[in-house]
């Protein structure tokens, strides 16, 4: 029974790590798509000479905002992973 429990806990630990890494990779992929789509109309506006400066400024603000949102999601995912690791007895979480 002890070896069964150990194997079960190892599988849970592996699953927790897999889920955390998968979420992080997914968030990074979605962030890239989000930024690319959000840039399209601003790139078109930037081709109009009088609007170039404004479009470039908005593009920078937009990229920073999108980056901040997705970084927040990554931080929540990391903290959730630390909590799960502690609950599963991994004790890998940052103290």
């Amino acid at each position: 029974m002890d070896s069964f429990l150990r194997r079960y806990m190892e599988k849970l630990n592996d699953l927790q790590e897999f889920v955390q890494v998968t979420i992080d990779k997914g968030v990074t992929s979605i962030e890239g798509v989000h930024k690319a789509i959000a840039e399209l109309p601003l790139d078109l506006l930037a081709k109009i000479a009088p609007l170039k400066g404004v479009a470039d400024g908005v593009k920078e603000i937009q990229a920073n905002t999108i980056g901040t949102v997705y970084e927040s999601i990554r931080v929540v995912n990391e903290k959730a992973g630390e909590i799960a690791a502690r609950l599963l007895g991994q004790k890998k979480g940052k103290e």
Side-chain angles (χ1 to χ4, degrees), residues 19-29 70 73-75 77:
V19 169
Q20 187 175 351
V21 168
T22 301
I23 289 171
D24 192 58
K25 287 179 180 179
V27 167
T28 299
S29 293
Y70 286 97
I73 294 169
R74 284 187 203 89
V75 168
N77 182 45

Side-chain angles (χ1 to χ4, degrees), residues 27-93:
V27 167
T28 299
S29 293
I30 293 167
E31 178 184 15
V33 171
H34 190 166
K35 284 182 176 180
I37 291 171
E39 288 176 354
L40 291 174
L42 296 172
D43 288 342
L44 288 174
L45 285 174
K47 291 180 180 184
I48 302 169
L51 299 177
K52 182 172 177 20
V54 173
D56 288 344
V58 171
K59 189 174 173 180
E60 183 179 341
I61 292 167
Q62 182 173 265
N64 289 336
T65 302
I66 292 169
T68 299
V69 169
Y70 286 97
E71 185 57 32
S72 297
I73 294 169
R74 284 187 203 89
V75 168
V76 169
N77 182 45
E78 180 184 350
K79 295 302 176 189
E82 288 174 11
I83 291 168
R86 285 189 191 124
L87 291 173
L88 293 170
Q90 294 177 14
K91 298 187 181 175
K92 285 193 210 173

